[in-house]
Amino acid sequence: MIGVLVSGEGTNLQALIDARLPLSAVASNRREAYALVRARSVGIPTAVFGLDCHADRDERDLVMARWLEQQGVELVVLAGYMHLLTRPFLARYPERIVNVHPSLLPAFPGAHAIEDALAAGVATTGVTVHLVDEGIDTGPILWQEAVPVEPRETLLERLHAVEHRLLPDAVEGMLRSLEAAA
């Protein structure tokens, strides 16, 4: 029922696995993403959709969306997926794509949220789980939780801990909403 898109280590994917959510597929844009190893180790089907194998992002995203549909995916979770999704993908999963982001959106969108928060000198940052739209971290906010910046030495660890708790809770809530609507 849930498809997860990943690009890296897969700690948020692991949080979803540990929460025993019904994960049916994991896709990545990077063949070397360790998250794929995590998925395979528990028997979740995986696939890689690199840009080098497709004419453009639209084509790649459409092929990826079709593969996810073939795996029975109804809800997509971005767990450290570092590519923007194109209109053909978004159209396949309207209001059914969830992302986790390490800031209190709308503050500090984009790939460098933690560095941007530190550079801005804010006392508090946090984690946001939101729906994905065509913008960069601009979709409707589902859940947020503040995290104090200090002590800086442990900020990343504390942000990850919140991500690993909030993301599974938000995904479970989305699943309940989808089931109620069916």
Side-chain angles (χ1 to χ4, degrees):
M1 168 153 247
I2 299 169
V4 184
L5 304 186
V6 297
S7 291
E9 291 298 309
T11 61
N12 281 311
L13 170 64
Q14 190 64 54
L16 297 170
I17 292 169
D18 292 346
R20 301 189 189 285
L21 291 166
L23 305 180
S24 56
V26 173
S28 182
N29 60 311
R30 297 180 55 236
R31 188 167 313 285
E32 66 277 6
Y34 185 72
L36 297 171
V37 173
R38 291 177 191 267
R40 289 184 200 118
S41 74
V42 294
I44 301 170
T46 64
V48 176
F49 298 91
L51 285 174
D52 57 339
C53 298
H54 301 280
D56 56 27
R57 280 183 188 237
D58 283 355
E59 178 187 286
R60 187 272 314 265
D61 284 3
L62 189 55
V63 170
M64 183 167 57
R66 285 183 187 143
W67 181 80
L68 290 169
E69 288 169 347
Q70 290 168 353
Q71 307 307 310
V73 170
E74 296 176 26
L75 176 66
V76 176
V77 178
L78 307 186
Y81 187 68
M82 299 307 290
H83 276 192
L84 291 177
L85 294 169
T86 59
R87 185 172 285 145
F89 191 98
L90 296 171
R92 292 293 246 257
Y93 292 97
E95 297 183 18
R96 291 182 290 135
I97 305 171
V98 177
N99 185 40
V100 62
H101 183 76
S103 79
L104 293 175
L105 292 174
F108 313 114
H112 306 289
I114 297 168
E115 296 88 345
D116 293 345
L118 292 174
V122 297
T124 303
T125 187
V127 173
T128 301
V129 178
H130 65 95
L131 292 178
V132 175
D133 61 14
E134 290 187 49
I136 297 175
D137 298 320
T138 57
I141 293 169
L142 301 173
W143 294 39
Q144 285 187 311
E145 185 172 316
V147 175
V149 169
E150 297 298 338
R152 286 184 185 210
E153 306 79 47
T154 62
L155 177 59
L156 188 59
E157 177 183 315
R158 290 180 290 115
L159 286 169
H160 284 315
V162 172
E163 287 177 351
H164 298 164
R165 184 172 38 79
L166 275 191
L167 183 60
D169 287 350
V171 170
E172 191 171 355
M174 286 290 297
L175 281 178
R176 282 195 303 270
S177 294
L178 287 174
E179 290 169 358

